[in-house]
Every structure is written in structure tokens, then in C-alpha cells.
């Protein structure tokens, strides 16, 4: 009998939302992702210690300035971990530009170049890497420039129709509209529980898929930030789904066929491209999206700062 995970893989490309190499080997996703939050979770895993020690020893030997050491430490660990993961997946590894650069287009582009160069030195070409940027106006503009250079991007922390449309307009490779965080906001606001087909996060991601298909955009839609298996199954048929190890385990443990729940419409008429005022106004009109984008950037930055503090201790 087929497991739900194997059946789901026939409808959507599955991406591992983890830096845990053991989980990646176990569930055989197509792609994987790293970010400061996932690196922080992996920091204490026994299998990660040799890699940390190796990278920090190299930084100590090569870099004298303490501030430069710390900045390099996060990037080098992210790329070292990403390169290791890339050897165990057929697809791409997403690696995140620091959240503190979310409103700085030029710095985001520079950091993306640095990350791609680090991957290249480890034998992982840019065709295996996605640069992960927050879906701010500045992050989308940085992605547009990078895409023209052949550096493909994953736009994350996406909560509004305005963000999705601006990403489509910019021709980014992939967008990650969030499910669970959208639902969290509405549950807190309304006090209601939602069945999967009424779930605000699920409905939001289905809407992004429909917008992409209707406009004939080449951007890949990847549902992200799942809280339950029900949410995952309600988005079967979305081109990609990034799923945590806990939910991958549930799906792998259950037998049964998965039926597609997302229908991508045929291409029709495109919406007019958004300029900056229209983007900011459209995003501003969505209270949930405003709250969750700001909160997401803050949370990623907090995790990055915690990771930096842990690394500073190890660097001495």
C-alpha cells in the first residue's frame, strides 16, 4: 500500500523544511531549505558538531577581526550545511539572506553574491541554489536583479496578494506563501477553529496558485509553514510544498491515496504590474499580512542574533 507521503509526491514536489540531514535522508525530498531558525535548531544535533568545529577553526585561522569572524561564521555554516544537504537531494537548496537586510536592496544583492560564491567554492553551482529573501519591496527588487544575472530566488514571508503579484511581476523563480502563520493570525483574531477547506492559510495559498496560473507566470508556488497534515493535504497539487520532519513522519506513517486539492487554471489575462506605491498600499490594506511580515522578519533576526551569540561563544 502507498503511503500518503509517496502519494503526495505524485502531485507536488516535496521540500524538507529542516536542516536535519538524517530527516532529509529518511524522507527523500526533492529540495531542502536552510535559514537561521533551522540552523539554530540544528546547532545542538550531534551530527552537526564536527562541521561546526571545522568551519570555526578555519575562520579563526583565516580572519583576524572578531566582527568579520562572526558574520562569516553564520554564512559559512549555512553554506557548509547547505552543500552537505545538496549532496543528498536531486533539486535545490534554499539559503537565506539575513533578515536585517530585508529593507536594503543593495546589501541583499551583495550578500546573495557572497553566498553563491561560497557555494561555488564548495562545488555547488548556482543552478542548485535558491537565494531566499523576504518579500519586502526591497527584497523583491533585489530578486529581480539577481534573476537577470541567473541567480534564482525564493521569496519568503509572503502573506498578501500584493506581495505575490509583485513577485510574479519581477519574474522570481519561486515564492513561499505561508499557511500556518496566516491561520494563526485569524484564529487569534476570531477565536475560531477552521476545517482544512475553510482554513484561511490554505485558501490564501490556493489563491496564489490561481493567480500564478491565470496570469501565466513562470514563478513556482511553494506552500510553506504548515501546522497540520490536514493543511498539507488540502494543498496537494500546489507545485511545491515545504514540510517539517514531524509532518513528513505523519504522512510517511499513514497509508492511503492523496487526491489533488489545488487546480491550476489555464492562462488568461494578467493583472497590471504593481509599482511601488500600489504595492505598499495593497499590502497595507491587509492587516494580517502587515502583522505577519513584520513579525516574521523580527523572529528570523532574533534567531540569527541567538545563533551569532552561540557562535561567538564557540569562537572565543
Amino acid at each position: 500500500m502507498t503511503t500518503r507521503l509517496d502519494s503526495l509526491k505524485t502531485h507536488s514536489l516535496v521540500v524538507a523544511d529542516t536542516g536535519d540531514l538524517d530527516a532529509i535522508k529518511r524522507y527523500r525530498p526533492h529540495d531542502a531549505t536552510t535559514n537561521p531558525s533551522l540552523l539554530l535548531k540544528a546547532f545542538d544535533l550531534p551530527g552537526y558538531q564536527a562541521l561546526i568545529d571545522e568551519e570555526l577553526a578555519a575562520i579563526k585561522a583565516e580572519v583576524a577581526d572578531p566582527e568579520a569572524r562572526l558574520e562569516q561564521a553564520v554564512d559559512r555554516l549555512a553554506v557548509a550545511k547547505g552543500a552537505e544537504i545538496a549532496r543528498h537531494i536531486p533539486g535545490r537548496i534554499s539559503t537565506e539572506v539575513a533578515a536585517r537586510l530585508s529593507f536594503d536592496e543593495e546589501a541583499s544583492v551583495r550578500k546573495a553574491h557572497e553566498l553563491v560564491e561560497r557555494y561555488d567554492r564548495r562545488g555547488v553551482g548556482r543552478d542548485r541554489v535558491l537565494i531566499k529573501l523576504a518579500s519586502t519591496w526591497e527584497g523583491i527588487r533585489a530578486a529581480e536583479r539577481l534573476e537577470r544575472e541567473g541567480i534564482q530566488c525564493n521569496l519568503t514571508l509572503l502573506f498578501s496578494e500584493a506581495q505575490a503579484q509583485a513577485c510574479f511581476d519581477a519574474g522570481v523563480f519561486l515564492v513561499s506563501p505561508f499557511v500556518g502563520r496566516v491561520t494563526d493570525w485569524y484564529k487569534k483574531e476570531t477565536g475560531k477553529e477552521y476545517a482544512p477547506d475553510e482554513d484561511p492559510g490554505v485558501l490564501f495559498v490556493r489563491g496564489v496558485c490561481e493567480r500564478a496560473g491565470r496570469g501565466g507566470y513562470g514563478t513556482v508556488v511553494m506552500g510553506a509553514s504548515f501546522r497540520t497534515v490536514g493543511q498539507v493535504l488540502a494543498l496537494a497539487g500546489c507545485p511545491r510544498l515545504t514540510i517539517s520532519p514531524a509532518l513528513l513522519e505523519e504522512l510517511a506513517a499513514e497509508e492511503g491515496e492523496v487526491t489533488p486539492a489545488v487546480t491550476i487554471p489555464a492562462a488568461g489575462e494578467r493583472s497590471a504590474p504593481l509599482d511601488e506605491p500600489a504595492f505598499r498600499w495593497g499590502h497595507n490594506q491587509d492587516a494580517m499580512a502587515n502583522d505577519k511580515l513584520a513579525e516574521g522578519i523580527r523572529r528570523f533576526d532574533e534567531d540569527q542574533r541567538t545563533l551569532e551569540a552561540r557562535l561567538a561563544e564557540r569562537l572565543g
Side-chain angles (χ1 to χ4, degrees):
M1 186 71 174
T2 302
T3 69
R4 284 190 159 190
L5 179 57
D6 286 336
S7 183
L8 177 65
K9 287 179 178 179
T10 66
H11 305 299
S12 302
L13 283 181
V14 170
V15 178
D17 193 12
T18 181
D20 182 351
L21 193 58
D22 288 339
I24 288 165
K25 290 176 181 176
R26 190 178 312 124
Y27 300 115
R28 305 186 307 279
H30 188 271
D31 294 350
T33 187
T34 67
N35 61 45
S37 304
L38 296 177
L39 288 172
L40 190 58
K41 287 180 182 177
F43 198 84
D44 294 320
L45 295 176
Y48 196 31
Q49 301 313 304
L51 183 145
I52 294 173
D53 291 340
E54 180 183 341
E55 291 304 313
L56 296 188
I59 291 167
K60 286 180 180 179
E62 297 168 16
V63 184
D65 179 65
E67 271 191 40
R69 277 183 177 180
L70 196 54
E71 181 179 357
Q72 284 201 26
V74 175
D75 290 348
R76 287 178 67 146
L77 282 175
V79 171
K81 190 65 175 174
E84 186 179 18
I85 291 169
R87 290 196 290 271
H88 297 278
I89 58 172
R92 297 170 180 261
I93 180 72
S94 287
T95 299
E96 190 150 330
V97 168
R100 65 181 60 125
L101 303 181
S102 295
F103 303 102
D104 190 331
E105 177 185 337
E106 295 300 328
S108 293
V109 169
R110 286 195 300 272
K111 180 59 69 178
H113 288 157
E114 291 172 13
L115 292 170
V116 167
E117 288 165 11
R118 288 189 185 281
Y119 270 112
D120 187 61
R121 290 198 290 271
R122 289 179 176 271
V124 180
R126 63 177 60 187
D127 61 324
R128 298 288 313 285
V129 176
L130 291 178
I131 295 298
K132 206 169 178 185
L133 297 152
S135 300
T136 59
W137 179 257
E138 294 81 4
I140 296 167
R141 299 281 67 77
E144 185 175 40
R145 289 167 57 181
L146 292 165
E147 294 281 355
R148 288 200 295 263
E149 298 174 18
I151 297 173
Q152 293 182 312
C153 299
N154 170 356
L155 273 290
T156 188
L157 294 176
L158 195 149
F159 300 102
S160 72
E161 292 184 4
Q163 287 175 296
Q165 185 61 52
C167 288
F168 297 153
D169 296 340
V172 304
F173 178 79
L174 183 145
V175 292
S176 297
F178 278 31
V179 181
R181 296 193 197 185
V182 171
T183 306
D184 292 346
W185 190 92
Y186 280 100
K187 286 171 70 173
K188 184 178 178 182
E189 287 292 307
T190 66
K192 292 171 60 177
E193 294 293 327
Y194 296 93
D197 282 336
E198 301 171 340
D199 186 302
V202 168
L203 296 178
F204 170 61
V205 177
R206 287 180 180 174
V208 174
C209 290
E210 290 169 8
R211 180 181 287 266
R214 193 169 56 248
Y217 298 104
T219 300
V220 176
V221 179
M222 180 172 75
S225 173
F226 292 99
R227 300 289 184 256
T228 67
V229 163
Q231 289 176 330
V232 174
L233 297 178
L235 284 168
C238 179
R240 299 189 193 200
L241 301 171
T242 181
I243 307 170
S244 70
L247 296 182
L248 288 171
E249 184 174 355
E250 283 190 52
L251 289 162
E254 296 177 1
E255 294 183 345
E257 295 294 331
V258 173
T259 303
V262 175
T263 303
I264 309 297
E269 189 174 346
R270 289 191 173 187
S271 301
L274 297 180
D275 59 13
E276 183 175 355
F279 167 83
R280 294 196 184 280
W281 181 252
H283 184 72
N284 179 73
Q285 296 303 94
D286 189 327
M288 175 277 297
N290 269 278
D291 289 351
K292 300 311 285 186
L293 175 60
E295 178 190 74
I297 290 171
R298 289 195 302 270
R299 283 171 57 180
F300 277 152
D301 185 56
E302 286 165 7
D303 284 343
Q304 170 122 359
R305 290 179 188 278
T306 302
L307 180 61
E308 288 171 348
R310 299 284 302 277
L311 289 170
E313 291 175 7
R314 295 277 283 264
L315 283 165

